[in-house]
Amino acid sequence: MRTGTPCSPCSSGYCDPTPAAGCCCAQPPPRQSPLIDPGYLSDPRDGERLVKGMRVARRLAHTPPLQGLLGEETTPGPSASDEQLLQALRQTLATYQHPVGTCRMGQADDPEAVVSATGAVHGLENLYVIDASVMPSLPSANPNLTTMAIAEHCAATLLLRIV
């Protein structure tokens, strides 16, 4: 984009990607940060859904309320094929920066659950995780309010146990 060129981005987002992320340690902690692969677009269904979302965003951009405000599409271009849209996605994909699910909440017999419904870490005493990491999946909205509700619930339960 040229400097000074008006820009009104129109984009689509996907709140429920197919999980394929991974994390490992290159060296024993704390010598080096973990290697994190978010696995973006590693499942073809995710790319297909985002391309559909881009097509919907394009249709919305051409409706009377928006048509005169957004200008012409410059990248990847109005006649781009699905493959070209997918390539543009691969080059510009960004995260919502709201990772969740690293300490999944659930029953003790759930092999993927790390904490109980009160935030207590399974198998350990007096250790709690009370943040967005306990959500099994990202809500289809900003997770701030959901996180606050979880924290309020867990804090109230913890206070009852302490008092």
Side-chain angles (χ1 to χ4, degrees):
M1 180 180 306
R2 297 182 310 273
T3 303
T5 303
C7 176
S8 297
C10 185
S11 62
S12 65
Y14 185 37
C15 291
D16 190 24
T18 307
C23 178
C24 67
C25 293
Q27 294 181 11
R31 293 188 186 106
Q32 186 174 341
S33 298
L35 302 174
I36 300 172
D37 176 8
Y40 299 139
L41 299 177
S42 57
D43 188 303
R45 294 173 293 184
D46 292 344
E48 291 167 9
R49 290 174 182 151
L50 281 167
V51 166
K52 285 180 185 176
M54 288 176 76
R55 295 226 177 265
V56 170
R58 283 174 156 179
R59 283 196 305 273
L60 289 172
H62 287 93
T63 61
L66 297 176
Q67 197 167 8
L69 300 173
L70 296 178
E72 292 299 315
E73 179 180 332
T74 57
T75 304
S79 60
S81 67
D82 283 357
E83 187 56 42
Q84 290 169 317
L85 290 175
L86 185 58
Q87 183 59 33
L89 277 169
R90 290 188 190 286
Q91 294 171 349
T92 60
L93 187 68
T95 176
Y96 284 126
Q97 296 297 336
H98 295 298
V100 301
T102 56
C103 293
R104 182 183 175 129
M105 184 181 280
Q107 301 294 325
D109 59 355
D110 179 349
E112 294 187 11
V114 177
V115 300
S116 71
T118 63
V121 175
H122 294 306
L124 297 173
E125 289 186 34
N126 299 318
L127 181 60
Y128 295 82
V129 175
I130 303 174
D131 60 19
S133 67
V134 304
M135 293 182 216
S137 61
L138 182 66
S140 294
N142 186 302
N144 186 45
L145 186 58
T146 308
T147 304
M148 289 192 298
I150 290 169
E152 288 284 336
H153 166 76
C154 292
T157 305
L158 186 56
L159 281 174
L160 287 175
R161 184 173 171 227
I162 294 171
V163 177

